[in-house]
Amino acid sequence: MKRTRTSSALAGALAALIALAGCSAGSGTTPTGSADALTQLQASGVLKVGTEGTYSPFTFHDPTTNQLTGYDIEVITAVAEKLGVKPEFSETKWDAIFAGLDAKRYDLIANEVSINADRAAKYDLTDPYSVSHPVVIVKADNSDITSLASVQGKTTAQTATSNWANFAREAGATVQPVDGFTEAVTAVKDGRVDATFNDNLAALEYFTTTKDSSVKIGFEVKDETVTQAFALRKNSGLVEPINAALKDLSNDGTLAAIGTKWFGTDISR
């Protein structure tokens, strides 16, 4: 049976949460709270965004210009333009990124935040803007890890509070915390861990740009759909206008163009 992070049950729960908040994207109206929040945001002129800046190709620094760039950066910049404001980025490690949101250091997180029930209960989550599936990276000479069942009892390197860490634990692995994707791959290469779970898109970009033959994809979990959204504080009032902006960007082809630039295809659906 196909397993998805956004199962029908979760989708129902998300819909209920959104309905209770009075910010259904399909209602055809803009709730007063959303209008007030957007007015305040536009008055400030700035959308404050929390991101890692180390997770290529989603949010990272161009090695030539050192400018912050990536798929997530371009999408949220396009959203901000639709809202009539400019993005202001704050870079922080993943394991501290939600704490920064809670502390109101920024308005939202743009960093491939996977949608799950726990996050939906604690935060406002927008409509998805990217869809992917998990892969497992192992050393090139590894022949033991070829399926989810074979991960049982192994050690993986993951950022401790990430969706991938939860995925690895659910598969029966012991998780060794690291700061990010690059550190996780290095831990695999050095033999400190057996594997690392991550996004198939991040893995594709890594192998394409580095040509690293010391590691490989041990297996993919193609029937496990993972959807990513922007995360905001609960009752932010900004989900409705951001969802409207994402819909416009989908309809006018902007999301497809950004996806094609970074991945050769539209990854927003």
Side-chain angles (χ1 to χ4, degrees), residues 68-100:
L68 184 65
T69 188
Y71 177 79
D72 285 47
I73 301 304
E74 289 200 16
V75 173
I76 195 60
T77 298
V79 167
E81 183 177 347
K82 287 286 187 182
L83 299 179
V85 295
K86 293 184 177 181
E88 178 182 282
F89 296 98
S90 296
E91 296 177 51
T92 186
K93 292 181 179 180
W94 172 263
D95 286 339
I97 205 164
F98 282 96

Side-chain angles (χ1 to χ4, degrees), residues 133-175:
H133 63 263
V135 299
V136 172
I137 296 175
V138 298
K139 290 187 75 170
D141 60 358
N142 184 288
S143 59
D144 297 331
I145 300 177
T146 58
S147 66
L148 274 177
S150 64
V151 176
Q152 176 76 36
K154 304 295 186 181
T155 301
T156 71
Q158 317 290 158
T159 47
T161 58
S162 69
N163 194 60
W164 304 118
N166 293 334
F167 195 85
R169 293 186 187 102
E170 289 172 4
T174 298
V175 171

Side-chain angles (χ1 to χ4, degrees), residues 3 7 19 36 71 82 84 86 92 94-95 114 167 169 210 220 233 244 248 253-254 259 268:
R3 301 163 60 224
S7 63
D36 291 344
Y71 177 79
K82 287 286 187 182
K86 293 184 177 181
T92 186
W94 172 263
D95 286 339
S114 297
F167 195 85
R169 293 186 187 102
T210 67
E220 302 185 40
R233 287 182 296 279
D248 287 346
T254 300
S268 66

Side-chain angles (χ1 to χ4, degrees), residues 11-254:
L14 289 173
L17 287 167
I18 293 171
L20 287 172
C23 56
S24 171
S27 63
T29 61
T30 301
T32 302
S34 294
D36 291 344
L38 181 58
T39 298
Q40 292 174 16
L41 182 74
Q42 291 172 333
S44 75
V46 175
L47 178 66
K48 296 180 179 181
V49 181
T51 194
E52 278 182 290
T54 58
Y55 187 27
S56 177
F58 303 104
T59 162
F60 69 106
H61 285 264
D62 185 296
T64 302
T65 64
N66 200 39
Q67 292 295 309
L68 184 65
T69 188
Y71 177 79
D72 285 47
I73 301 304
E74 289 200 16
V75 173
I76 195 60
T77 298
V79 167
E81 183 177 347
K82 287 286 187 182
L83 299 179
V85 295
K86 293 184 177 181
E88 178 182 282
F89 296 98
S90 296
E91 296 177 51
T92 186
K93 292 181 179 180
W94 172 263
D95 286 339
I97 205 164
F98 282 96
L101 181 63
D102 294 338
K104 299 183 179 181
R105 289 200 289 271
Y106 26 84
D107 302 308
L108 60 75
I109 298 170
N111 206 101
E112 290 294 288
V113 175
S114 297
I115 297 174
N116 61 40
D118 288 342
R119 288 174 183 158
K122 291 180 63 177
Y123 299 98
D124 280 350
L125 300 177
T126 67
D127 291 339
Y129 63 92
S130 71
V131 181
S132 58
H133 63 263
V135 299
V136 172
I137 296 175
V138 298
K139 290 187 75 170
D141 60 358
N142 184 288
S143 59
D144 297 331
I145 300 177
T146 58
S147 66
L148 274 177
S150 64
V151 176
Q152 176 76 36
K154 304 295 186 181
T155 301
T156 71
Q158 317 290 158
T159 47
T161 58
S162 69
N163 194 60
W164 304 118
N166 293 334
F167 195 85
R169 293 186 187 102
E170 289 172 4
T174 298
V175 171
Q176 179 175 306
V178 292
D179 287 337
F181 177 68
T182 301
E183 291 83 354
V185 174
T186 299
V188 174
K189 292 167 64 172
D190 292 347
R192 289 182 280 122
V193 299
D194 301 301
T196 182
F197 280 90
N198 214 284
D199 186 280
N200 69 300
L201 300 171
L204 173 64
E205 195 271 347
Y206 175 81
F207 286 109
T208 299
T209 58
T210 67
K211 311 299 182 184
D212 189 351
S213 60
S214 66
V215 288
K216 66 180 182 181
I217 293 177
F219 66 92
E220 302 185 40
V221 191
K222 291 187 176 180
D223 63 347
E224 179 81 19
T225 301
V226 185
T227 53
Q228 286 72 227
F230 299 122
L232 302 91
R233 287 182 296 279
K234 207 68 175 173
N235 301 318
S236 64
L238 291 174
V239 171
E240 179 80 9
I242 289 175
N243 282 346
L246 286 171
K247 184 175 181 180
D248 287 346
L249 293 170
S250 178
N251 290 341
D252 68 18
T254 300

